Each structure stands twice: as C-alpha cells, then as structure tokens.
Amino acid sequence: MSRLNVEQADRCAALLLAHHRRPRIAVLLGSGWGALAQRVADPLHLPYAALPGFPDTGVAGHTGEVVLGRIGTHEVAVLSGRRHAYEGGDPAAMKGAIAALAAAGVELLVQTNAAGSLDERMRPGELMLVSDHLNLVQRSPLLHETGAERFVDLRYAYDPALRAQALATAQRRGITLHEGVYAWVLGPQFETPAEIRMLQRLGAQAVGMSTVPETILARHAGLRVLAFSLFTNMGCGLQAERLSHANTLGVAAAVAPLAADLLEAVIASLVP
Ligand code: HPA
C-alpha cells in the first residue's frame, strides 16, 4: 500500500476507534443480510461518507454505513453496503474500508452475498457457506500493490477452522447450510444459460457479482475470512422465471430473518 493510503487507513481507523469501540470482527452485509445490522447491541452508526477511504454505494438495498457494537460477547463492525466492481470497474473499490478495518485491529472478515444456485440440491431461499472461489473475472484488487505480500497464498482463503465452527452452529440451530464454491462474475447483467452450464462444469455451486475481490483484499491485509451466500434464484436456464434485480431483492427480503438468525448465531459462537 502506498504511504498516502497507509495514512488514510490510520486516520480512518482512528475515527472507527473513537468512542472506545474495539471491533475484532467485521461483517460485510450483502443483499438479504441487512437485518443483521438491527441485531447489534449498543449500536453506533457511522456513515461511510464520514470515513476516509470508504466507498460511495449506489445499488438499492446497500445503504453505506458502519454499525459498531456487540453481537454476543464479540465487538463487531457491521458494514452495510459495498461498492461492486460492476459500479465503475474498480475491483479495489473496498480497499480503503478493509485497510482501515485492519488498521483498527479487526482480525476477521465475515462476508455475505446474494447468489444464483448452480446446483439443483441448493434451492432459492437456502444458504451456503463458501468453501472456495473461482475468480472468473480474472481481475485483481492488488494490481497497484508492491512488495512480496501481494503474492497472496489463497489456499485457505476461507478459513477452515472458522468454517467448521459455522457448520456446527448451523447444525445446532437446525438451519440448512450448504457448502460450496462461489464463482465471481463481473455483471451487472445476469449469465446466459450457456454460461451457467459452463460454471457448473467448472465445479461452482454459486454464482455472484461480489465477495471475491474483498476476500483477496482481506487476505492481503492479514484478515481471516468467512463467507456466506444466500440463494435468491437458480442460475439462468435452471428455473422458469426470468431473473431481475427486483426478484433478487424480493427473495432476499423473504429469507432475511433466517439469514440474520444464522449469521448472528455463527458470530456469537465464533472462537477466533
Ligand atoms: N447471477 C449472478 N449474481 C447473482 C445471481 C445470479 O443468478 N443471483 C443473485 N446474484
């Protein structure tokens, strides 16, 4: 990271740490997961606009604020709203936010997203733990980094020990939690049926337009990562209905309470 960016991250971290909050876990909420922000105890709301390096967020359903507070005994920073690579083409759009969280002492990033299912066993309205990803966009948020750290090892991009904890919590709560590979596509258009068949053959169970660049940024910053997908639809051609953003938001809203239940329980029971 350039010197200017380090200074910006430190300035932003100082703003996050004012008010004597010490978050160790950050949670990045995607479509359908927003209800978690209302489950934060002792909440303090900071708009992204007040935090240097945090992005402008444009998409409906992504509001752009950090909520500092507690889930269970853990101090958390819950981020509502991300800037996607399809909004302007920058895969490093969340770099400032993640650098600031790392500078503030955050050690773990829990990511969430809405996704299309590529697997008939994983139905709309169900949840998946991300075990690995395919960076099909073949863009990196680290292109302007220097130094040996930019050659990030992604073998354990999604932390195996934390994944085991998440699966155990889901089982205890009786919530179905699939596990699979998330394929990142740029969007914002949905896929063609031929692309969906290609993704199935490549071994992915979920397809979506986010998460992967933030995982790479987080691993580069030394954070451990856990990620969840909420299926809003079957991939194009696997279901009769047409795909639309309104459909994504509609299904996501219906699943929101279940998604928040799982996420709250997982975070509360994490042993980092
Ligand atoms: N494709 C890509 N991104 C998505 C989808 C999809 O089918 N559903 C929700 N996000």
Side-chain angles (χ1 to χ4, degrees):
M1 227 187 337
S2 74
R3 183 161 169 70
L4 193 69
N5 282 337
V6 171
E7 278 167 13
Q8 183 184 63
D10 285 345
R11 239 179 330 121
C12 187
L15 289 170
L16 285 168
L17 295 177
H19 317 286
H20 309 288
R21 309 296 176 101
R22 292 289 175 273
R24 287 283 172 273
I25 300 174
V27 190
L28 181 49
L29 299 178
S31 305
W33 297 88
L36 185 82
Q38 284 110 54
R39 313 246 183 135
V40 175
D42 200 12
L44 182 78
H45 297 257
L46 301 173
Y48 283 5
L51 298 169
F54 274 63
D56 291 334
T57 54
V59 178
H62 299 265
T63 55
E65 68 166 7
V66 179
V67 182
L68 298 173
R70 268 177 295 101
I71 292 179
T73 57
H74 293 302
E75 290 222 38
V76 296
V78 176
L79 280 65
S80 292
R82 55 155 71 83
R83 188 172 175 86
H84 301 80
Y86 64 71
E87 300 168 277
D90 181 8
M94 295 300 290
K95 174 177 157 177
I98 290 170
L101 293 167
V106 166
E107 292 161 0
L108 164 58
L109 176 65
V110 181
Q111 292 215 62
T112 61
N113 60 52
S117 170
L118 305 168
D119 187 324
E120 295 288 353
R121 291 165 301 188
M122 303 185 189
R123 307 304 303 175
E126 294 184 337
L127 307 172
M128 186 189 92
L129 180 65
V130 177
S131 59
D132 204 344
H133 73 224
L134 292 174
N135 178 353
L136 291 176
V137 180
Q138 278 300 294
R139 299 274 306 280
S140 172
L142 305 179
L143 282 187
H144 301 292
E145 301 300 321
T146 55
E149 306 80 45
R150 78 193 127 139
F151 300 103
V152 181
D153 181 354
L154 292 179
R155 168 115 188 232
Y156 299 116
Y158 302 91
D159 194 277
L162 299 176
R163 272 162 49 206
Q165 292 178 29
L167 288 169
T169 301
Q171 196 171 27
R172 257 198 323 275
R173 304 288 293 229
I175 298 175
T176 301
L177 181 60
H178 302 287
E179 199 174 11
V181 174
Y182 175 93
W184 176 38
V185 294
L186 183 61
Q189 75 285 348
F190 288 106
E191 301 69 45
T192 63
E195 286 168 341
I196 292 296
R197 289 193 298 274
M198 174 190 75
L199 295 174
Q200 288 177 314
R201 288 191 190 129
L202 290 177
Q205 282 70 47
V207 56
M209 306 174 192
S210 69
T211 304
V212 167
E214 294 87 352
T215 294
I216 296 169
L217 286 164
R219 295 301 296 140
H220 180 247
L223 307 188
R224 298 163 79 194
V225 177
L226 196 56
F228 298 88
S229 294
L230 179 166
F231 291 117
T232 52
N233 55 278
M234 298 305 294
C236 180
L238 302 179
Q239 66 175 36
E241 300 86 17
R242 287 168 60 97
L243 302 183
S244 68
H245 189 56
N247 173 74
T248 298
L249 295 183
V251 177
V255 191
L258 177 75
D261 282 352
L262 175 75
L263 197 53
E264 184 181 11
V266 167
I267 293 167
S269 62
L270 279 179
V271 184

